[in-house]
Amino acid sequence: MPRNGAHDGTPDGPGARRGRGAEDALGTPAGDRAGTGRHETQEERADRRWNELLQEVRVAQTGVQILFGFLLTVVFSPKFTALTATDRAIYIVTVVLGAATMGALIGPVSFHRLVTGHRLKPQTVIWASRLTLVGVVLLLATIVSALLLVLRIALHSSAVPWLVAGLTTWFLLCWFGLPAWARHRYADGGRPK
C-alpha cells in the first residue's frame, strides 16, 4: 500500500474496499473510511494525522523557544531595573504565558512517548491536537503581551494599545478567522458554497 493511506487500486491491501459490511484488519467497517475522502484504516489515519501534527508543532515550537529564550534574558539586562511597576507586571505575565505555551506545545511529545505501545494512537492524536490548539492560543497571548511590553518601552505613546489591538486582530484573522472561513466555505468537500 502506498504511503499516506493512498489506495493503489489493488483489492488486497489493509485499506482496500470490500463489500458492504466488510471490515479491515483492525475491525474498522469499510463504510467508515468513505467519509474521510481517503481509503485508510483508523490506524493509518491516526498515523497520517500524527505526522501532520508533528510538522505543525515543530514550526510553533521553534518560534516559542526563540521568544521564550529572549524573554528569559531580559531580566538580566541593566535597563530591567528601570522598568515601571506596570512594565514589570507585563513582563512577568509574558514570561508565565511563554512558559505555559512551551508546556502546551511540548505536551504532545511527552503524551505520545508515555502512551506509545498501548494502542492509543487515535486518542493520542486527539489529545495532542487539543494541546497544540491550547498552545497556539497561549502563543497568541504571549506575543500580544510581549508586543505590549516592547512597544510601551520603545514608543512611550498612547498609540501603543491601538497598535497592539491591530496586530492582535491580524493574528486572530490569520490564525483563526481565515481557517474558520475556509472550513465554512469549503465544507462540501472542496466545493465553494
Side-chain angles (χ1 to χ4, degrees), residues 147-161 163-164:
L147 281 171
L148 181 62
L149 177 64
V150 170
L151 292 175
R152 277 176 54 94
I153 293 169
L155 297 179
H156 301 290
S157 169
S158 61
V160 168
L163 281 170
V164 173

Side-chain angles (χ1 to χ4, degrees), residues 69-82:
F70 169 75
L71 287 170
L72 292 178
T73 63
V74 169
V75 74
F76 300 106
S77 167
K79 287 193 170 191
F80 184 78
T81 56

Side-chain angles (χ1 to χ4, degrees), residues 7-67:
H7 184 59
D8 65 359
T10 58
D12 53 357
R17 293 209 162 236
R18 295 177 194 79
R20 182 174 281 251
E23 295 180 349
D24 63 20
L26 297 171
T28 304
D32 287 356
R33 291 186 304 274
T36 65
R38 297 174 185 255
H39 303 293
E40 56 190 3
T41 65
Q42 182 180 9
E43 290 296 321
E44 290 168 336
R45 182 170 189 245
D47 287 340
R48 176 182 53 81
R49 291 181 69 207
W50 177 253
N51 288 331
E52 291 171 355
L53 183 63
L54 276 183
Q55 293 303 318
E56 295 164 3
V57 169
R58 283 183 185 129
V59 171
Q61 279 179 345
T62 302
V64 169
Q65 289 169 346
I66 292 168
L67 177 60

Side-chain angles (χ1 to χ4, degrees), residues 56-144:
E56 295 164 3
V57 169
R58 283 183 185 129
V59 171
Q61 279 179 345
T62 302
V64 169
Q65 289 169 346
I66 292 168
L67 177 60
F68 191 62
F70 169 75
L71 287 170
L72 292 178
T73 63
V74 169
V75 74
F76 300 106
S77 167
K79 287 193 170 191
F80 184 78
T81 56
L83 290 180
T84 66
T86 301
D87 290 336
R88 282 181 189 228
I90 294 170
Y91 171 76
I92 290 167
V93 166
T94 305
V95 169
V96 169
L97 285 169
T101 303
M102 291 274 292
L105 290 177
I106 292 174
V109 176
S110 64
F111 194 107
H112 179 263
R113 184 54 30 220
L114 292 171
V115 300
T116 294
H118 294 278
R119 298 179 184 255
L120 296 172
K121 181 66 93 39
Q123 295 82 0
T124 299
V125 171
I126 291 168
W127 283 103
S129 181
R130 290 174 181 167
L131 273 171
T132 302
L133 187 57
V134 168
V136 169
V137 170
L138 287 168
L139 177 58
L140 174 64
T142 304
I143 291 172
V144 167

